Amino acid sequence: MIPLSVLDLSVVTTGTRPAHALQNSIDLARHVDGLGYVRYWLAEHHNLASVASPAPDLMIGQIAAVTKNIRVGSGGVMLPNHAPLVVAERFKMLEALFPGRIDLGLGRAPGTDGATAHALRSRLDRREGDDFLERLSELVLWETRGFPAGHPYNNVVAMPDDTPLPPIWLLGSSDYSSELAAQVGMGFAFAHHFASYDAIAAMTNYRSHFKPSGWREGPHGILAVAAVAAETDAEAEQLATSMDLNRLRRDRGQYLPLPSVEEALAYNYTDSERASIARNRSRFFVGSPATIMAKLQPMITASQPDELMIITAVYDHDARKKSYGLLADAFGLNKKVAA
């Protein structure tokens, strides 16, 4: 069976304040570590009322400290928001503290609106446009010490200098990151849960064009999907109504805390809103474990991911933990842990 991982947004709900959402993330990480999930990634978002964590590196350290086996990483660090040296230093520190358990996932987007992105970068530099590739190249040079002769950075060392950077993963929702990850020989994670680009094409392109590198000898593709599992299809469908209303609001630019099931069920949807929800549901996998497996299997077979990363954003924290437990059983993770 394919390995399972977790992508966590530290979801804020109308009944869960941001500080408690961060504690829920730590609790969920402990839970899935015991279930046999192989990876736990934390996202970076800013100025979003529905996401509590703008600093995945801080959460990585907290979670790695209270778990035993699971790898912990960023899904991802939004590289446009950070000086590459700062990223190198922080993740080398994490790798030194938790050797062999840290991942560095990198994204191209700012993870926020334009005004907040400007506030994040206004004291860093004045570069305009998409400078992701430039920043990625600089990050790699901090690791390889490959700056040209006479470059001012030749005398700057990213500490701790006896610890390598953890494995680098490029995140994407289009063909750009899949092609770049293949060319530079890094891991790749595709965000099916919000992508308009075809996941099968992205994963196939990455695998077929991968070039071995000092980072990775062979391709490793992660497919990230949104899923809500419950004992029955009806129960899962009800849990997912919070996600439906939240997504509808986000499409309108309303980034509010995740609503309760009761609020979502009481909402008076128009026909066009129901049609929008139906379109969004084409990206989600909702139901009993058997139903979700049946829906997921064709995509897994076609895209051939090395790993499936699950994001479950529901109102009730216990229901979220149970969803991950049911999927662990369905994919046989508990049997692997017992063995």
Side-chain angles (χ1 to χ4, degrees):
M1 280 296 208
I2 187 170
L4 294 187
S5 296
V6 174
L7 175 61
D8 181 20
L9 300 182
S10 299
V11 175
V12 180
T13 76
T14 54
T16 306
R17 302 301 299 160
H20 194 65
L22 296 176
Q23 295 298 325
N24 282 346
S25 289
I26 294 173
D27 181 60
L28 179 62
R30 286 196 189 100
H31 179 64
V32 298
D33 187 29
L35 292 174
Y37 282 76
V38 299
R39 208 178 304 274
Y40 196 100
W41 279 6
L42 299 121
E44 175 188 339
H45 289 285
H46 303 271
N47 194 33
L48 291 182
S50 58
V51 179
S53 174
D57 52 323
L58 295 181
M59 288 298 292
I60 288 168
Q62 294 294 313
I63 287 174
V66 298
T67 53
K68 296 179 179 179
N69 301 307
I70 199 166
R71 296 188 67 94
V72 191
S74 55
V77 165
M78 300 294 104
L79 196 52
N81 299 336
H82 307 281
L85 174 59
V86 173
V87 176
E89 290 176 331
R90 291 179 180 177
F91 277 81
K92 284 165 73 73
M93 280 188 65
L94 287 167
E95 180 67 20
L97 293 169
F98 308 101
R101 292 185 55 209
I102 304 300
D103 293 323
L104 173 52
L106 300 171
R108 291 172 60 208
T112 189
D113 59 275
T116 308
H118 182 270
L120 286 164
R121 296 184 61 177
S122 63
R123 295 297 182 265
L124 290 178
D125 56 47
R126 298 295 178 184
R127 287 179 285 187
E128 300 293 338
D130 187 350
D131 60 358
F132 177 78
L133 188 55
E134 179 184 348
R135 288 173 180 269
L136 176 63
S137 299
E138 182 181 324
L139 177 63
V140 169
L141 288 172
W142 287 117
E143 176 68 8
T144 63
R145 304 300 306 145
F147 290 105
H151 195 284
Y153 291 171
N154 269 331
N155 295 321
V156 182
V157 177
M159 294 294 288
D161 62 352
D162 62 344
T163 303
L165 275 177
I168 296 179
W169 303 76
L170 300 189
L171 283 56
S173 58
S174 68
D175 58 340
Y176 176 89
S177 291
S178 69
E179 293 176 359
L180 180 58
Q183 290 297 314
V184 299
M186 294 177 177
F188 174 60
F190 184 79
H192 171 269
H193 54 291
F194 64 79
S196 56
Y197 190 78
D198 180 53
I200 297 170
M203 299 294 285
T204 302
N205 180 63
Y206 166 68
R207 189 172 301 280
S208 62
H209 292 93
F210 183 88
K211 295 180 180 179
S213 71
W215 298 100
R216 187 174 293 278
E217 294 182 358
H220 190 111
I222 298 176
L223 180 62
V225 300
V228 178
E231 295 285 357
T232 65
D233 288 350
E235 183 183 354
E237 288 289 339
Q238 190 172 68
L239 290 172
T241 58
S242 296
M243 184 174 61
D244 291 335
L245 180 54
N246 189 59
R247 183 56 188 260
L248 185 67
R249 287 170 169 170
R250 288 187 62 148
D251 289 345
R252 297 171 175 170
Q254 300 172 359
Y255 296 92
L256 303 175
L258 190 73
S260 67
V261 170
E262 291 75 17
E263 181 181 351
L265 291 175
Y267 186 90
N268 187 23
Y269 296 95
T270 65
D271 290 341
S272 62
E273 288 173 336
R274 293 187 184 281
S276 178
I277 288 173
R279 288 192 298 271
N280 288 331
R281 274 296 190 98
S282 66
R283 297 191 186 97
F284 302 153
F285 299 88
V286 179
S288 67
T291 297
I292 289 179
M293 293 290 284
K295 292 178 178 178
L296 270 175
Q297 196 56 55
M299 177 172 287
I300 293 173
T301 300
S303 61
Q304 291 294 299
D306 298 285
E307 195 173 315
L308 198 64
M309 183 168 277
I310 309 294
I311 175 171
T312 301
V314 295
Y315 182 83
D316 183 77
H317 180 60
D318 288 335
R320 182 164 65 143
K321 291 171 65 175
K322 185 173 182 179
S323 179
Y324 280 110
L326 290 170
L327 291 174
D329 288 338
F331 280 86
L333 297 193
N334 291 330
K335 294 180 182 178
K336 294 178 183 177
V337 172

